[in-house]
Amino acid sequence: MEETSKEAFDTAIQRVAGMLQRSDQLDKVEQYRRREARKKASVEARLKAAIQSQLDGVRTGLTQLHNALCDVKDIQNSLADVSKDWRQSINTIENLKDVKDAVVQHSQLASAVENLKNIFSVPEIVQDTQNLIEQAELLQAHRKLMDLECSRDDLMYEQYRMDSKNTHDMNLIGGYFGQVQSLSEELAKQLWMVLQRSSLTVRQDPTMLVSVVRIIEREEKIDKRMLDRQKQTGFIPPGRPKCWKKRMFQVLEGTVSTRIEGTQSETRDSNKMWLVRLLEITRKYVLDDLIVVKNMMAHCFPPHYNIFRVSFHLYHVALSTRVQELATDELLEANEIVSLLTWVLNTYKSVDMMGHPDLSSECDVNQLEPLLPQSVVDDLLGKYIQTFTSNITGWLRKALETDKKDWHKDTEPEADQDGYYQTTLPAIVFQMFEQNLQVAAQINEMFKEQVLMRCLVQMSQFLSRYRDEVIAYKDEHLKDRQLPQFYVQYMIAMINNCQTFKESINSLKRKYSPCMEPTQNDAAIERTLNEVAKEGCQFLLDEVFLDLEHHVIGWMNLPFCGTNVSRYVCQEMTSEAHRRVVVEYIKAVMQKRITFRNAEERKEGAERMIKEAEQFKFLFRKLSGEDTDQLCDAIAALAEVFKLTDPSLLYLEVSTLVSKFPDIREEHIVALLGIRGDASRDMRQMIIETLNQNKPSVSSNSQPIFKDITVPTISMTAMTSMTVPKLLK
């Protein structure tokens, strides 16, 4: 207390010191005193109010405790009185045992009297009930059956109450009502028959189905009442509980399973399309049945039965079981696998079946479990891929064999609308791929891409065989160059096929997998097609050189070539032939109107020109025995212009060409730069102007080559839009 007072005193000193820090504050001392007095009075008032509130609460609590104590004493007194009365009444209760036995006996006799009419007329009621069941009057039959069961159960219950161990009397009652159980079973059979034909019954006589449901509902209520009494007394009548509601759903489940299994009317041996027909019939039956359940049967059942949802689930389970049986068939063919998976993965949940607008308002198909486990789907897809791979390999081999036979025909190959030779092989191959990809697309996107990848793998392997066959075709021709008759034309068609193959592959990829990244198969296919086309062109050139060599050798064997003059004539003819070949070659290059698209194409074209120039040199050196390099060097010089990789050095290379062949003209250089495809307009103009200013003089020793080569005028737009064409007829 002292510490509190001291702390309050210190606090007061601090506050007063804070108020009187300046001299002008002394004038306000009285004002400060009154304000502090008001605060003190306010605090004291709140303190008194709080203490008064607590005192009132304590007073109320003491009063309640006093009242509770009085109530406890009253209860104790009442319990003592009850205990005293109970002890005094024990003897009285024992004296009333005879009255109790009389009450039980009276109850039994009353039950017997109440059921006396039924007891004496049991045989008659049994016969009437049997007749009603046979006449399909199920509600009336069930009413009489309930009366019989009620009489039997009441008598047996009273006997059980009187003497539960008296089995003789129990058996006597049970024997007297023995036919009641058989009537119940007979009625149940009729109920199940109606339920099995519920889809038809609800159309023809819906009241019959309503009667069946009402009977089942009655029996459910009786079952519940009997089970409740069993909990109290331990007695349960014979045949209870019947559980007819549970049995009803079992019957419906069996009916649905039978309905699904009964849709197959054909086998694989009788009809190749048996599975397609089976799946379509199943789809139609299931959809029709569920629409009937929703629009008609649902009105015949109580709402809490959820009969549509139950039926929807039962059909789903039955279909899943049936589809799994079909999926495990070891004899399933590739087309059957596709039909089954398409139906399972697409048709089943579509608007044509479980997702139909008439059904979707009640059930969400997206909540359904898959008809087939993913492992089974994967197994089927793997089996299809394996079968497809085997089939496509055989189809490709057969297509190639058919195409090979066409190569030896005595007629030219067909030409497309643009006049290019071609064979039917690319169309046949890609028709196979297209058909299988269309089928795969029906299943899902992932599987479609797997099939496309497998097609590309097979295509890569097929093109390797195709290349081998083209080489073998050439080798066979060289053994007898008179056969096949149209060797050159078919070789051109094979080269054109390479371009068709490329276009078809790109078309398939754009159509079925536009986002597919390039793969090793793509590179292998591109490489093989380029090799086939390149080798085919080389085979054609070999054919030209063989013919050229044959004709030049023919000149050397002319009758007048035995004298010196004739040898001179032959040499002149050979020299002139050499010159004309080179001139025509260069003219063909410059008038071909092609444009290289990149450095790789320029390098490939240049190397090919150099190789062919060497072949010209070898051939004419062999025929004339003289140096033939100068003319053929013109081809090599042009190739060097194409081969150059650094455009900044292009002027030097062109200058070298002009210095070697002074007769080359401006239009020739423009054509060469256009063919290169990478020289800008300014660069071409600079090169032309510089060469015109420093044009070399024509040497008397140089052989004019370019003077006889005319080049058509080529616009800048044409130069930038040239492409490599197919080989024409």
Side-chain angles (χ1 to χ4, degrees):
M1 189 69 180
E2 292 180 359
E3 292 179 356
T4 305
S5 299
K6 186 176 183 301
E7 183 178 356
F9 184 76
D10 293 340
T11 303
I13 291 174
Q14 290 178 359
R15 292 191 63 185
V16 170
M19 293 177 185
L20 303 176
Q21 290 181 353
R22 297 189 306 274
S23 58
D24 60 339
Q25 291 177 329
L26 292 174
D27 298 335
K28 300 179 180 180
V29 169
E30 184 62 25
Q31 181 180 348
Y32 292 154
R33 189 184 64 78
R34 288 196 300 271
R35 186 176 64 185
E36 292 301 322
R38 286 195 299 272
K39 288 184 179 179
K40 180 181 177 183
S42 175
V43 171
E44 290 176 350
R46 289 199 301 270
L47 182 61
K48 289 179 181 179
I51 293 173
Q52 184 64 39
S53 176
Q54 291 181 355
L55 290 174
D56 291 342
V58 171
R59 187 181 297 108
T60 302
L62 291 173
T63 302
Q64 291 177 349
L65 288 174
H66 177 72
N67 294 336
L69 180 61
C70 294
D71 292 340
V72 169
K73 290 180 179 179
D74 292 341
I75 292 171
Q76 285 179 340
N77 295 332
S78 298
L79 289 174
D81 294 340
V82 169
S83 178
K84 181 179 178 181
D85 293 341
W86 178 73
R87 291 190 184 95
Q88 292 176 355
S89 63
I90 291 177
N91 296 330
T92 304
I93 293 173
E94 291 178 352
N95 295 332
L96 294 176
K97 185 177 184 303
D98 295 337
V99 176
K100 178 182 177 182
D101 294 339
V103 169
V104 172
Q105 187 176 11
H106 178 272
S107 175
Q108 292 175 343
L109 293 173
S111 177
V113 170
E114 184 180 351
N115 294 286
L116 192 60
K117 180 179 179 181
N118 291 337
I119 292 174
F120 286 111
S121 59
V122 165
E124 181 182 352
I125 298 175
V126 167
Q127 185 59 47
D128 291 343
T129 305
Q130 183 68 44
N131 294 336
L132 290 171
I133 293 175
E134 292 175 356
Q135 296 169 10
E137 298 291 340
L138 302 183
L139 274 179
Q140 297 182 34
H142 185 249
R143 171 59 63 186
K144 290 185 174 294
L145 177 63
M146 285 195 301
D147 292 341
L148 290 172
E149 289 179 337
C150 183
S151 299
R152 180 199 63 185
D153 296 345
D154 287 348
L155 291 172
M156 295 184 77
Y157 175 64
E158 295 301 334
Q159 177 60 39
Y160 178 83
R161 287 177 62 192
M162 185 176 65
D163 187 2
S164 61
K165 296 181 180 180
N166 189 349
T167 57
H168 178 269
D169 291 346
M170 281 287 195
N171 293 334
L172 182 63
I173 297 173
Y176 187 74
F177 289 90
Q179 290 181 296
V180 174
Q181 185 62 30
S182 61
L183 282 177
S184 177
E185 294 173 355
E186 184 65 26
L187 178 61
K189 289 181 181 179
Q190 294 297 319
L191 299 181
W192 311 147
M193 287 178 61
V194 173
L195 287 172
Q196 288 170 353
R197 303 175 65 250
S198 56
S199 296
L200 182 61
T201 302
V202 77
R203 293 184 177 99
Q204 298 178 349
D205 187 7
T207 56
M208 177 67 74
L209 186 59
V210 173
S211 299
V212 170
V213 176
R214 289 180 61 186
I215 292 170
I216 293 173
E217 276 290 282
R218 288 176 184 173
E219 290 294 337
E220 284 295 301
K221 292 178 180 179
I222 296 173
D223 280 349
K224 185 177 184 304
R225 190 167 65 250
M226 293 297 105
L227 289 173
D228 291 341
R229 189 169 68 176
Q230 183 188 25
K231 292 177 182 179
Q232 297 175 0
T233 65
F235 173 76
I236 187 76
R240 292 288 176 184
K242 293 183 179 180
C243 301
W244 277 8
K245 182 178 179 181
K246 179 180 178 181
R247 176 59 180 160
M248 176 193 72
F249 287 119
Q250 292 175 348
V251 170
L252 290 176
E253 181 179 0
T255 302
V256 170
S257 298
T258 303
R259 175 74 161 166
I260 298 301
E261 293 173 358
T263 54
Q264 183 170 350
S265 59
E266 297 174 318
T267 62
R268 182 181 288 106
D269 296 334
S270 61
N271 188 346
K272 292 293 184 182
M273 300 297 291
W274 70 277
L275 184 57
V276 174
R277 288 179 55 81
L278 169 62
L279 295 174
E280 177 57 23
I281 292 173
T282 302
R283 182 199 67 79
K284 187 177 183 303
Y285 281 6
V286 170
L287 179 59
D288 291 346
D289 289 354
L290 287 176
I291 290 177
V292 169
V293 172
K294 179 178 180 294
N295 296 332
M296 302 180 72
M297 279 184 61
H299 302 298
C300 300
F301 288 80
H304 65 273
Y305 274 51
N306 288 322
I307 192 63
F308 176 72
R309 291 181 179 272
V310 170
S311 299
F312 197 86
H313 176 71
L314 291 178
Y315 273 97
H316 176 73
V317 172
L319 285 170
S320 179
T321 302
R322 180 57 176 150
V323 167
Q324 290 189 49
E325 291 175 357
L326 294 172
T328 55
D329 186 355
E330 296 295 333
L331 300 178
L332 275 182
E333 299 175 357
N335 61 320
E336 294 172 348
I337 292 175
V338 170
S339 298
L340 181 60
L341 288 178
T342 302
W343 194 87
V344 168
L345 300 178
N346 299 326
T347 305
Y348 180 65
K349 292 186 178 181
S350 71
V351 295
D352 295 326
M353 197 171 177
M354 306 302 266
H356 193 276
D358 290 344
L359 308 180
S360 58
S361 60
E362 295 291 336
C363 291
D364 184 4
V365 294
N366 296 320
Q367 301 298 322
L368 290 174
E369 293 292 327
L371 278 182
L372 285 178
Q374 189 59 43
S375 58
V376 177
V377 174
D378 293 339
D379 289 343
L380 287 175
L381 293 177
K383 183 178 179 181
Y384 175 83
I385 288 291
Q386 182 179 1
T387 305
F388 163 73
T389 302
S390 176
N391 291 343
I392 206 71
T393 301
W395 294 336
L396 291 174
R397 184 179 295 109
K398 184 177 180 181
L400 183 55
E401 290 297 325
T402 303
D403 204 57
K404 282 170 56 180
K405 293 178 181 179
D406 293 342
W407 299 349
H408 296 81
K409 284 184 176 180
D410 294 335
T411 57
E412 289 186 354
E414 297 179 357
D416 62 13
Q417 66 273 16
D418 297 322
Y420 300 125
Y421 281 134
Q422 63 177 8
T423 68
T424 58
L425 183 61
I428 294 174
V429 169
F430 284 95
Q431 185 179 7
M432 297 178 197
F433 290 165
E434 179 79 23
Q435 290 174 351
N436 283 276
L437 285 168
Q438 288 176 355
V439 169
Q442 298 175 6
I443 298 177
N444 56 45
E445 289 296 318
M446 184 179 299
F447 182 64
K448 179 186 67 177
E449 293 196 358
Q450 290 179 0
V451 172
L452 177 58
M453 286 296 298
R454 190 54 60 98
C455 288
L456 295 178
V457 171
Q458 292 297 312
M459 189 66 190
S460 178
Q461 298 173 358
F462 166 75
L463 289 176
S464 296
R465 294 194 299 270
Y466 183 64
R467 179 190 178 194
D468 294 339
E469 294 297 340
V470 172
I471 294 173
Y473 182 63
K474 182 265 300 184
D475 293 339
E476 181 183 358
H477 169 70
L478 292 180
K479 294 177 183 178
D480 183 358
R481 296 188 61 234
Q482 301 301 317
L483 298 175
Q485 181 179 354
F486 294 98
Y487 166 79
V488 172
Q489 289 84 346
Y490 276 101
M491 185 59 70
I492 292 173
M494 295 174 200
I495 298 171
N496 289 339
N497 284 350
C498 295
Q499 182 66 22
T500 306
F501 277 129
K502 287 183 182 180
E503 294 171 354
S504 299
I505 290 172
N506 292 332
S507 175
L508 284 182
K509 292 174 67 176
R510 285 194 303 270
K511 183 175 181 180
Y512 292 101
S513 185
C515 299
M516 178 182 287
E517 297 293 332
T519 64
Q520 294 181 350
N521 289 319
D522 296 333
I525 290 172
E526 181 78 14
R527 183 172 57 254
T528 304
L529 288 173
N530 289 339
E531 289 173 352
V532 173
K534 184 176 180 180
E535 291 171 352
C537 292
Q538 189 60 51
F539 297 158
L540 291 176
L541 285 175
D542 291 342
E543 189 74 5
V544 172
F545 283 120
L546 287 173
D547 289 339
L548 185 59
E549 180 179 3
H550 172 73
H551 287 297
V552 175
I553 291 175
W555 303 337
M556 302 299 293
N557 293 328
L558 289 174
F560 53 81
C561 286
T563 64
N564 292 332
V565 176
S566 64
R567 283 197 299 272
Y568 169 77
V569 172
C570 289
Q571 289 176 352
E572 288 297 319
M573 291 177 63
T574 302
S575 177
E576 181 60 24
H578 184 188
R579 182 179 181 280
R580 289 185 62 180
V581 167
V582 173
V583 168
E584 292 298 325
Y585 184 94
I586 296 175
K587 184 185 297 184
V589 171
M590 292 192 172
Q591 295 180 353
K592 192 65 175 178
R593 294 175 182 257
I594 64 173
T595 300
F596 295 121
R597 291 172 292 187
N598 50 53
E600 184 178 352
E601 289 187 0
R602 288 191 289 273
K603 180 182 178 182
E604 183 179 351
E607 290 177 350
R608 179 174 169 183
M609 291 175 65
I610 293 172
K611 181 178 179 181
E612 291 167 357
E614 291 297 325
Q615 290 176 322
F616 285 141
K617 288 181 183 180
F618 175 78
L619 173 62
F620 286 101
R621 187 183 297 119
K622 177 180 176 182
L623 295 174
S624 65
E626 296 180 355
D627 183 15
T628 60
D629 292 351
Q630 186 175 2
L631 290 170
C632 294
D633 284 345
I635 300 175
L638 295 179
E640 292 299 330
V641 174
F642 297 148
K643 191 176 181 181
L644 186 66
T645 58
D646 187 356
S648 64
L649 301 177
L650 195 56
Y651 169 72
L652 296 178
E653 195 65 45
V654 174
S655 299
T656 303
L657 174 66
V658 173
S659 64
K660 289 182 179 180
F661 305 95
D663 64 322
I664 193 169
R665 299 190 299 276
E666 178 180 331
E667 60 266 26
H668 297 143
I669 297 174
V670 172
L672 292 177
L673 296 178
I675 294 172
R676 267 191 64 90
D678 63 342
S680 64
R681 180 189 299 271
D682 294 339
M683 180 179 290
R684 288 197 295 269
Q685 186 174 355
M686 183 271 292
I687 292 174
I688 295 300
E689 291 177 354
T690 305
L691 290 177
N692 287 335
Q693 294 173 3
N694 303 293
K695 192 168 185 179
S697 59
V698 178
S699 173
S700 59
N701 296 326
S702 62
Q703 284 185 289
I705 297 176
F706 292 91
K707 70 173 185 177
D708 297 328
I709 300 175
T710 58
V711 180
T713 303
I714 304 175
S715 66
M716 296 300 176
T717 303
M719 286 183 180
T720 57
S721 61
M722 295 175 182
T723 56
V724 179
K726 293 182 181 179
L727 297 178
L728 286 167
K729 289 186 179 181

